[in-house]
Amino acid sequence: MDSKPIAGLGRPPRGARYRVLGVRDGRVCPERLLEMGMIPGAEFTVTKVAPLGDPIEVDLGGSRLCLRRSEAADLTFERVG
Amino acid sequence: MARTVAQRGLTAALVGVPNSGKTSLFNALTGSSQKVGNYAGVTVEKVSGRTQGPDGPITIIDVPGLYSMRPVSADETVAAEVIVGRAGEARPDVLVCVVDATNLERNLYFLSQLSGAGIPTVVALTMVDVVQRDRNSLDVDRLAGELGVEVVPVVAHRGQGLLELKAAIGRAVEGRRLLDIDLGFPAAVREPVFRLHDRLARAGVDVTRSEVREALLDEGAALNDKLANLPEMVEAFVEERARLLGAHADGRTIDAQTRYAWAGRIRREVLATSGQLDRRTTDAIDRVLTHRVFGLVVFVGLMYLVFQSIYTLAAPLMDIIEAGVGAVKGWVSPMLAGAPLLQSAVVDGVLTGMGAVLVFLPQICILFALIAVLEGTGYLARAAFLMDRLLGWCGLSGRAFIPLLSSFACAVPGIMAARVMPDARSRLLTVLVAPLMSCSARLPVYVLLIGAFVEPVYGAWWAGAALFAMHFVGLAFAVPVVALLNRRVARGRRLPFVLELPRYQWPRVRDVVLTVVSRAKVFLTTAGTIILVMSIAIWALLSFPRSEAMEARYRADYRALAATQRGDVTEENYLQMRSTRDSYLGQFGRAIEPVFVPAGFDWRLTTAILAAFPAREVVVSAMGIIFDLGGEADEESPDLRQALKQATWPDGRPLVTVWTAASLMVFFALCAQCMATLAAIQRETGSWKWAAFAFGYMTLLAYVAAVAVYQLGSRLGAGG
Ligand SMILES: Nc1nc2c(ncn2[C@@H]2O[C@H](COP(=O)(O)OP(=O)(O)OP(=O)(O)O)[C@@H](O)[C@H]2O)c(=O)[nH]1
Ligand SMILES: [Mg+2]
């Protein structure tokens, strides 16, 4: 898969796997995301997309989190699967 | 300070991540019945209880869950303050850190932040039954070794591990067992921390290394404020920070990364997983429940089922209660035959009034049971996931879903549940519209009127559908209200919506039963106090003034009526009607009647509505008394439904048509007649202004909508 850094998740397809790279320049990552384990190096899979395209459900180390795409926009990711 | 620990007993606080099982453990230890549910944010306030430890009583404190020691919402602040100690309050002697064994990383991340607290700590490991069920094994001794404190596996609902936990609490205090963990911060962090700590010590500032590290990595940390009067130290921190972090890196990221790396290492060491913990069942259920299409279908279907079953399941129970109330009246009435005024006060006032409300106890219990079941399974978090975007369009967040749904049972816990919302704007909006959700106190009005005017004509299925529809009236109005308030009233920034979706669980029968019992108690106490007082007041205002002279005048008037005017009204009935009309309540009601005539209400319905100001459910008992006294005078007290059907305007038109019933239901769906709710709004927003605002806008909305329904309905449907 391409491993170019991407900013935010865009419209992630179900089943896609991402790795968190870091916080985008000039942005401040919502602290809650860090505290819930969305830290650089963490990998997660998109398991569900809500009916209206947002929020999404991800599997992060065995636990499921629901997050809004707009909140992931402050992070950079790479697609790993 | 003379009192020692031994004299006053120990205080232990249950702290941990949301949904880790703190309240379940609290209930098991103290025998309490605090609310338990399978989603994050069930507990929103601090609660304490007592238990007997091996060496004396232990006070146990249950607090809301926390993801980190940096709270973002009101409920989290409560919990953090218990740990760090708020001014004037003693800190607990022991922290019992509740760790969910199925979610070790996130739970240990939180635990790692307690190591700076300096309070003896014990770890209670929950959900070990789930770990075992999935045929995984967990090395408890190794975990204890890594943390430096005792680790006690517990299964609260089976009572396992409670004695061991209490003994461990005692030992932790005696031996001052503090968390002793090595997070493994990189040397690049440890070295400047060491240097700064050293300088601070020389400057006479007494702080721990972890406080220094926190201040280095996060400019917002508390220590930075304390140093404000030491400019050279502030500068030293700025320099070290710049050297460590360079241009791009973020101190908080380094902190979180280090802690998660530590937590991950421990998880791998102690949890011998064959693979991952089993989520297959949950995933299979979620394939339907959070499906793009079926998810929404199931959601609406489920809500429909809830209201349909309230209507159908309760019917036989209602009959039993009705018969019971009738029997009590029949038993009491002859005993008071010697004192007609007292007899009337007890039978026509108290018993009729309270009986009219008691009949609805089954409905209320069923509603609370169904909501408790939904809460216990873990479905609510899914529903919030499905609804987030929709709620977002209205200006609320998905986090508002749970407070709003619980407001369908009762607005008071719903308003309190809004504490979990981090941003003040969403929280305020949620608090202001929560009372529009159709709470259980409105059920009696709906069931009464639907039972009298919809079911006989259209059948039980339509009656159920009407009940379902009534629950959407408030919801439908909430959308424009929020949109409007969003622009005018509330401001603030939106905060992230990160919600854990827990594994599904079977709801525990005990939890559901306890919820229902405690809510039934609340209902009965209200019925026993407000409704009792209001019933007596209404009866009195309806029975006085009375005098021989007035009675003689009424009799004379009756005799003066021509036979055709009398119709089949007997002299007694006529007397009864006149004295009711001329009573204090009748005079008052007729004075206000013009205001409510456009909505289709006569003075009797009007006074019933006004009497229900302190609590909605009073309206039914008020109608019971008013229509019973003023209507049929025969001894068997007529069913209130019958009485409503037979009531007429003075010109003989039937008083309550389908449209009057609809108008009355809409009025009650939207009005804010509940002191408990207004008080809760005041408590949660800290000002009476918002309570007054909620009362004002809802009453206006209720009146306008009721008038519109009646006017449009009776024109279009001509009495339907
Ligand atoms: N299988 C299992 N389930 C548990 C255990 N302890 C708690 N639960 C369930 O976990 C869920 C959460 O329990 P609560 O006691 O409400 O959790 P809490 O930590 O008080 O949650 P908040 O108040 O939201 O912070 C409920 O569905 C409980 O029935 C346990 O040891 N085993
Ligand atoms: Mg709790």
Side-chain angles (χ1 to χ4, degrees):
Chain A
M1 278 275 151
D2 63 10
S3 57
K4 275 186 304 204
I6 43 176
L9 286 174
R11 285 192 156 270
R14 249 182 58 193
R17 194 165 172 79
Y18 296 89
R19 180 184 298 131
V20 182
L21 291 179
V23 181
R24 273 168 78 178
D25 281 359
R27 302 268 183 114
V28 181
C29 168
E31 198 153 331
R32 219 358 77 100
L33 284 184
L34 288 177
E35 290 167 356
M36 307 274 284
M38 275 279 171
I39 47 172
E43 291 187 9
F44 61 88
T45 311
V46 177
T47 46
K48 270 272 150 68
V49 179
L52 299 163
D54 203 28
I56 58 172
E57 183 197 288
V58 301
D59 180 321
L60 177 69
S63 82
R64 298 292 160 87
L65 295 182
C66 152
L67 69 147
R68 294 203 190 107
R69 293 190 331 228
S70 59
E71 276 138 19
D74 296 326
L75 293 171
T76 54
F77 302 90
E78 68 181 332
R79 178 104 183 243
V80 291
Chain B
M1 284 310 297
R3 276 150 65 97
T4 63
V5 163
Q7 282 167 321
R8 66 177 163 82
L10 293 174
T11 304
L14 301 175
V15 297
V17 161
N19 210 35
S20 54
K22 298 176 292 300
T23 305
S24 305
L25 185 57
F26 175 80
N27 285 348
L29 285 169
T30 62
S32 317
S33 49
Q34 291 297 317
K35 188 167 147 188
V36 164
N38 192 14
Y39 58 91
V42 179
T43 308
V44 293
E45 57 184 346
K46 176 179 145 185
V47 180
S48 58
R50 277 167 103 60
T51 185
Q52 199 55 43
D55 327 296
I58 306 177
T59 303
I60 310 276
I61 302 175
D62 183 30
V63 295
L66 273 176
Y67 282 115
S68 85
M69 284 303 289
R70 281 131 72 49
V72 297
S73 53
D75 61 322
E76 293 184 347
T77 308
V78 170
E81 278 176 349
V82 166
I83 300 170
V84 297
R86 205 171 50 174
E89 269 181 55
R91 300 169 78 194
D93 302 303
V94 193
L95 293 180
V96 175
C97 185
V98 178
V99 169
D100 170 357
T102 61
N103 195 359
L104 270 180
E105 254 137 314
R106 194 162 295 131
N107 280 259
L108 290 175
Y109 170 83
F110 171 73
L111 176 139
S112 77
Q113 306 194 343
L114 294 177
S115 67
I119 303 178
T121 302
V122 178
V123 169
L125 199 62
T126 58
M127 317 277 177
V128 281
D129 52 329
V130 179
V131 173
Q132 271 158 9
R133 192 185 60 206
D134 296 350
R135 280 191 279 285
N136 287 292
S137 70
L138 204 144
D139 190 340
V140 175
D141 293 334
R142 184 128 183 215
L143 182 59
E146 289 283 352
L147 303 179
V149 296
E150 283 194 60
V151 176
V152 185
V154 293
V155 183
H157 56 271
R158 293 194 206 128
Q160 285 170 13
L162 302 184
L163 291 176
E164 291 87 337
L165 182 63
K166 289 191 252 188
I169 289 174
R171 284 194 295 271
V173 179
E174 257 163 50
R176 279 206 62 75
R177 300 276 283 273
L178 303 180
L179 278 171
D180 175 19
I181 53 184
D182 179 13
L183 291 172
F185 274 94
V189 176
R190 273 182 289 129
E191 281 159 14
V193 168
F194 191 77
R195 283 195 294 271
L196 288 167
H197 184 253
D198 209 39
R199 275 191 69 176
L200 281 167
R202 273 185 277 126
V205 184
D206 180 25
V207 288
T208 64
R209 289 236 168 80
S210 56
E211 279 177 288
V212 175
R213 187 181 56 229
E214 217 179 290
L216 176 70
L217 294 176
D218 177 11
E219 292 170 58
L223 182 59
N224 288 311
D225 296 334
K226 278 202 265 175
L227 296 179
N229 53 355
L230 291 173
E232 75 282 1
M233 283 313 303
V234 173
E235 206 171 302
F237 268 92
V238 172
E239 262 168 39
E240 294 282 18
R241 204 176 287 135
R243 191 174 327 155
L244 169 66
L245 302 176
H248 298 307
D250 172 7
R252 295 167 317 155
T253 311
I254 297 179
D255 182 75
Q257 256 179 311
T258 310
R259 288 175 197 273
Y260 265 105
W262 170 81
R265 177 175 67 76
I266 303 222
R267 184 186 101 109
R268 285 188 297 278
E269 276 174 22
V270 302
L271 198 59
T273 12
S274 40
Q276 286 208 325
L277 284 167
D278 193 7
R279 282 200 71 117
R280 260 175 307 176
T281 321
T282 293
D283 285 345
I285 299 172
D286 268 345
R287 266 198 282 285
V288 180
L289 292 191
T290 55
H291 186 273
R292 275 165 170 258
V293 181
F294 301 133
L296 291 176
V297 173
V298 170
F299 176 71
V300 176
L302 211 58
M303 295 299 128
Y304 181 73
L305 215 64
V306 167
F307 295 111
Q308 183 69 44
S309 50
I310 289 171
Y311 196 82
T312 46
L313 291 183
L317 295 168
M318 282 176 81
D319 292 343
I320 296 175
I321 297 182
E322 235 159 25
V325 171
V328 171
K329 278 189 189 173
W331 179 65
V332 169
S333 189
M335 296 198 307
L336 300 172
L341 202 57
L342 184 65
Q343 184 191 35
S344 170
V346 171
V347 177
D348 302 331
V350 175
L351 291 178
T352 305
M354 293 179 71
V357 173
L358 277 187
V359 169
F360 298 101
L361 186 60
Q363 256 105 1
I364 285 167
C365 289
I366 293 173
L367 177 65
F368 276 102
L370 292 175
I371 290 188
V373 167
L374 283 183
E375 286 174 338
T377 55
Y379 180 68
L380 290 199
R382 271 74 186 183
F385 170 74
L386 290 175
M387 294 292 135
D388 179 57
R389 191 61 186 276
L390 224 57
L391 288 167
W393 276 338
C394 320
L396 287 171
S397 94
R399 211 65 185 81
F401 179 80
I402 292 170
L404 292 182
L405 188 80
S406 40
S407 299
F408 275 98
C410 174
V412 174
I415 287 169
M416 286 177 62
R419 286 185 190 178
V420 299
M421 302 172 67
D423 63 310
R425 186 186 68 167
S426 291
R427 182 176 169 203
L428 178 62
L429 284 175
T430 309
V431 165
L432 289 177
V433 296
L436 277 178
M437 303 302 116
S438 195
C439 70
S440 61
R442 281 140 162 144
L443 261 178
V445 183
Y446 300 159
V447 174
L448 174 73
L449 293 169
I450 290 175
F453 298 95
V454 178
E455 195 181 349
V457 188
Y458 303 99
W461 272 96
W462 278 105
L467 190 64
F468 181 59
M470 281 318 298
H471 284 87
F472 272 92
V473 171
L475 200 62
F477 276 94
V479 174
V481 166
V482 170
L484 216 70
L485 292 184
N486 217 352
R487 282 208 218 116
R488 308 251 146 200
V489 183
R491 309 216 167 268
R493 69 204 171 99
R494 274 169 83 88
L495 278 142
F497 173 62
V498 188
L499 189 65
E500 268 185 280
L501 300 172
R503 201 177 272 98
Y504 283 107
Q505 293 246 24
W506 282 109
R508 291 188 201 299
V509 176
R510 183 177 175 274
D511 291 338
V512 175
V513 170
L514 285 180
T515 312
V516 172
V517 169
S518 69
R519 294 310 307 190
K521 269 193 206 150
V522 171
F523 179 75
L524 291 177
T525 351
T526 330
T529 52
I530 300 183
I531 295 176
L532 178 70
V533 172
M534 291 307 287
S535 296
I536 295 174
I538 294 167
W539 170 85
L541 289 172
L542 213 49
S543 304
F544 296 96
R546 58 162 68 185
S547 67
E548 309 257 302
M550 285 163 68
E551 197 182 315
R553 203 172 62 236
Y554 299 152
R555 283 188 197 283
D557 285 351
Y558 182 75
R559 298 208 181 98
L561 286 175
T564 47
Q565 285 168 302
R566 285 182 197 171
D568 49 7
V569 178
T570 64
E571 187 166 341
E572 286 310 307
N573 281 353
Y574 180 80
L575 216 68
Q576 188 61 268
M577 186 202 57
R578 282 292 300 269
S579 63
T580 308
R581 267 171 60 88
D582 292 345
S583 68
Y584 292 122
L585 198 69
Q587 293 171 24
F588 173 72
R590 279 183 296 141
I592 312 194
E593 192 184 68
V595 179
F596 282 96
V597 164
F601 309 154
D602 74 339
W603 71 267
R604 288 171 292 185
L605 293 174
T606 304
T607 29
I609 288 172
L610 293 178
F613 170 71
R616 291 185 185 89
E617 43 290 42
V618 172
V619 76
V620 175
S621 64
M623 291 202 296
I625 301 170
I626 296 172
F627 285 96
D628 186 26
L629 266 180
E632 295 286 274
D634 54 297
E635 276 312 297
E636 287 156 43
S637 109
D639 180 66
L640 178 53
R641 275 180 251 179
Q642 262 343 93
L644 281 176
K645 281 194 205 168
Q646 287 162 4
T648 57
W649 290 96
D651 62 10
R653 279 182 299 131
L655 171 63
V656 192
T657 64
V658 171
W659 296 112
T660 323
S663 150
L664 197 56
M665 287 196 285
V666 165
F667 184 88
F668 270 87
L670 300 174
C671 74
Q673 304 209 359
C674 174
M675 279 309 284
T677 301
L678 297 176
I681 295 178
Q682 185 270 330
R683 270 200 314 276
E684 296 299 304
T685 61
S687 99
W688 279 109
K689 193 185 80 184
W690 289 120
F693 176 80
F695 182 76
Y697 96 78
M698 288 179 66
T699 307
L700 188 70
L701 206 62
Y703 179 76
V704 172
V707 171
V709 165
Y710 182 70
Q711 294 299 338
L712 286 177
S714 36
R715 257 161 234 178
L716 295 179

